[in-house]
Amino acid sequence: MDMPSPNPAILARKARLAERLRAVLPADAVIQDEAETRVYECDALTAYRCPPLLAVLPRSTQEVSAVLRICHEEGVPVVPRGAGTSLAGGALPTADCVILGVARMNEVLETDYDNRIIRVQTGRTNLSVSGAVEEEEFFYAPDPSSQLACAIAGNIAMNSGGAHCLKYGVTTNNLLGITMVMMDGTVAEIGGAHLDAGGLDLLGVICGSEGQLGVVTEATLRILRKPEGARPVLIGYDSNEVAGACVSDIIKAGVLPVAIEFMDRPCIEACEAFAKAGYPMCEALLIIEVEGSEAEIAHQLGLITEIARSHNPVELREAGDADEAARIWLGRKSAFGAMGQLNDYMCLDGTIPVSSLPFVLRRIGEMSKEFGLDVANVFHAGDGNMHPLILFDANKPGDLETCEAFGAEILKLCVEAGGCLTGEHGVGIEKRDLMLHQYSAADLEAQLKVKDVFDPKWLLNPAKVFPLSVTESRRAVALAAE
Amino acid sequence: MMTPGSEAELAEAIAGASGPLCIQGGASRGLGVEGDVLSTRGLSGIELYEPGALTLVVKSGTPVAEVEALLAAENQRLAFEPMDHRGLLGTDGEPTVGGVIAANVSGPRRIQAGAARDHLLGVRLVDGSGQAVKNGGRVMKNVTGYDLVKLMCGAHGTLGVLTEVSLKVLPKPECSGTLVWHGLGWVASLKVFCEALKSPYDVTGAGRVPQGAAGKSMTYIRVEGFEDSVKYRLTELRRLFSDLKPDELNIDAEENAQIWQSLRDAEPFHGKAGDVWRTSVKPTDMLKVTGQRDFEHVVDWGGGLIWSLVPEGEDLRQKLADVPGHATLVRACADTRARLGVFQPQPAPLAAISEGLRRQFDPRGILNPGLMG
């Protein structure tokens, strides 16, 4: 992945910039030392690294505003950073940028159960939002698998999802209001504790804009009462086609599980070897979870198992108690760890229409042979969000490049099947150059026009989301204005 | 009136327009915008429906009724429960999917299932320069690039004219049940809403109408699902309200449909003189709106949405100046609409962004000009 070359004029102004930032921030909030800026050289896409010019760690909306105003005046690019867990390189710096980290802004500002909202500073981690309302049996629904570490700021930037979004939706469906600082330092309040913000749906376009439209410092999030209980069932089939048909039949029957997870044989084998969850060795494994009271769970599982049986499963295992439920989830939840033990891996997240699942899995199998790299699939089957894990050896010359080429072909396949490049991780730098496979130049132009309004100088996270060739003229204008 | 039969024809019509256009779907809302009428009714038809994938793709001019019938045959529905404005506005016409999406029209189930915008997966549109654009797609999780899908939903045609939309549909539940309280005051009604919505019983409707069949106000709580589950949850909910016992427990399918359609469409105000305002507030701020005792109110969304019947020409926004949220003037004569504005004015930074977006997507200012600012 190419990144634009740093602007020498900005590199030369490092000392002055640091001085100006120090004038508006506490002394320990401006990081200038090269050994310390290295902490921010990458996010969870570790194959790409570049220490930023400076990093700042403000504690308030006012401090964020002061930082952005200075960077705006100085014409310095800013890369916002939540917890740095992006798998797509969303927080990857350039050498001439300021990293604006919100990690120190992690307060809960308000919890209001009557109105079912929580207001937080966005540096707070996803899981600790649920933690803050757990006492009252509430939770925050979007649950990306990095939820222990990832920040709400990053969730909003990437419109993060999770395993339970078939029922509860993703970040954008659970975000009611924000405080956002624009690149010129203007503070904007959008939405609030009411359900629909007025005017154009700015909240909708800001959520998922990968930190390119503004820096969100506070968020009002919808919280929900926990269901009385939840229970999974595990179903094994000897073909992907049959497993796919089973999922489709369950949905058509009017049951809406909270999660439908799908694992293919390579994934089952790796998980079993790693976690010994007692999974059957078969071609396709479904884990389906339903919620409600005991009687409601029993009723829904009854319908699901009846449909599942009509497709002749090789295994059908209901969880009798919490232990058995945990064992059913054990393998799935350790899938990534299992892969990590086998090899280095790249995790993709293209989405496809559920109906094309068997075709796409078959093609991925064929491509795996062509590229000579193994691939295992875990999959949110209810919403079509795939997670192919391509295994490679980072120490073997050329393997990363082969893996990236294979990954790009899988994502193109997802688009051809009627799906998209990314379901929940975001584009970042990882999928940036594939955007023209999904969208025409005119489609992308419409998106760029939105950025032109929010950030006319193209200073916020400018080298992400869109192919560099597509944004070049706009970024050049920003440089020329120096 | 122009009624293009394809996206290409629509693009041509917009590119060739020499003045303002009034964008029209089924003409059931009557926007009151000056300009040549550009209708989407020529763009009608189902492009794709996969019940097993909960996905529907339709052209924007397709009647809502046609879509609802198609879905019902597979035991599915549009879960956001779009209202039908005809009764309230005294209009004819045939509501279209494009109109519903352009106005982000969402009914009582918005509190649980989300608004129209939460079920919209993708759009095709033609912007004010006549350029066709697509965004999103037909899959449920999609973060590929900016979410212009949401931006277009609720833009009332001011950023572009929708030509095709993809929607997430959901199963129609087996049963719907409603707890009904007669003659409950505002404070007690709010308490019922809050307690019910804080419970784990997955409430899908919470509202109040000023006068039900018995001549008293009616406060409603709805749950939906499999029949045994509905009965169980209604029983548990009733137990929650030991000091505020509901007067009825109704699981009759037709009566339930009637109750919620009436609330959805603000039926108590049909045919009554006066302006109708629609206010969106934090649910517990409902009392500040219903505290305007000179006006009648219909409440939905557990207190978060209030329909108010206000004497002609009076400005409800002025009375609610300190209440966070916004009020939309849904029904009034042309003069009042022009004087007060249909939509609540926004704070300066947001107004500037909105104006900037309009200028980008409609540089000549010809798409429903003036409607949103």
Side-chain angles (χ1 to χ4, degrees), chain B residues 39-56:
Chain B
S39 167
T40 59
R41 287 306 300 280
L43 307 167
S44 183
I46 313 293
E47 300 278 286
L48 173 141
Y49 176 35
E50 280 185 15
L54 302 174
T55 318
L56 174 74

Side-chain angles (χ1 to χ4, degrees), chain A residues 114-115 162 172-173 196 201 212 225 228 296 351 353 355 383 385 422 424 438-439 442-443 447 449 452, chain B residues 50 110 117-118 131 134 136 138 141 143-144 146 198 200 229 232-233 282-284 301 326 350 360:
Chain A
D114 273 344
N115 289 302
T172 192
N173 312 112
D196 286 337
D201 192 350
Q212 293 198 312
R225 178 68 183 268
E228 289 175 87
E296 291 172 291
T351 304
S355 47
D383 52 35
N385 194 185
T422 170
E424 57 186 1
Q438 179 160 347
Y439 287 121
D443 298 337
Q447 300 179 33
K449 281 177 179 174
D452 290 341
Chain B
E50 280 185 15
R110 196 260 173 272
R117 51 99 82 179
D118 297 300
Q131 174 67 53
K134 74 165 181 298
R138 50 168 286 208
K141 273 164 92 180
V143 294
T144 317
Y146 294 171
K198 278 193 287 187
S229 162
Y232 163 77
R233 285 180 284 149
K282 178 164 87 172
T284 51
W301 297 1
H326 56 97
L350 304 192
Q360 288 280 24

Side-chain angles (χ1 to χ4, degrees), chain B residues 190-209:
Chain B
L190 180 64
K191 183 164 186 251
V192 164
F193 298 153
C194 291
E195 292 307 314
L197 287 164
K198 278 193 287 187
S199 79
Y201 306 121
D202 211 13
V203 167
T204 69
R208 183 186 187 272
V209 294

Side-chain angles (χ1 to χ4, degrees), chain B residues 56-186:
Chain B
L56 174 74
V57 184
V58 296
K59 291 188 188 161
S60 60
T62 311
V64 174
E66 186 181 328
V67 165
E68 284 178 338
L70 176 81
L71 298 178
E74 294 287 340
N75 246 325
Q76 296 188 338
R77 65 180 178 188
L78 298 173
F80 54 92
E81 215 174 357
M83 85 176 276
D84 181 339
H85 285 82
R86 286 175 292 188
L88 183 66
L89 302 180
T91 49
D92 316 318
E94 182 67 49
T96 61
V97 173
V100 161
I101 294 305
N104 189 23
V105 178
S106 319
R109 207 175 291 108
R110 196 260 173 272
I111 52 173
Q112 186 257 3
R117 51 99 82 179
D118 297 300
H119 295 80
L120 186 61
L121 306 174
V123 292
R124 293 191 61 87
L125 62 116
V126 176
D127 73 12
S129 310
Q131 174 67 53
V133 172
K134 74 165 181 298
N135 193 259
R138 50 168 286 208
V139 288
M140 285 193 207
K141 273 164 92 180
N142 187 346
V143 294
T144 317
Y146 294 171
D147 192 348
L148 305 187
V149 171
K150 299 233 166 29
L151 187 62
M152 294 302 155
C153 187
H156 294 265
T158 60
L159 300 180
V161 181
L162 298 171
T163 59
E164 183 186 287
V165 301
S166 315
L167 290 161
K168 172 185 176 181
V169 299
L170 282 174
K172 196 176 232 174
E174 190 177 275
C175 174
S176 168
T178 304
L179 293 177
V180 187
W181 287 258
H182 299 172
L184 215 54
W186 289 118

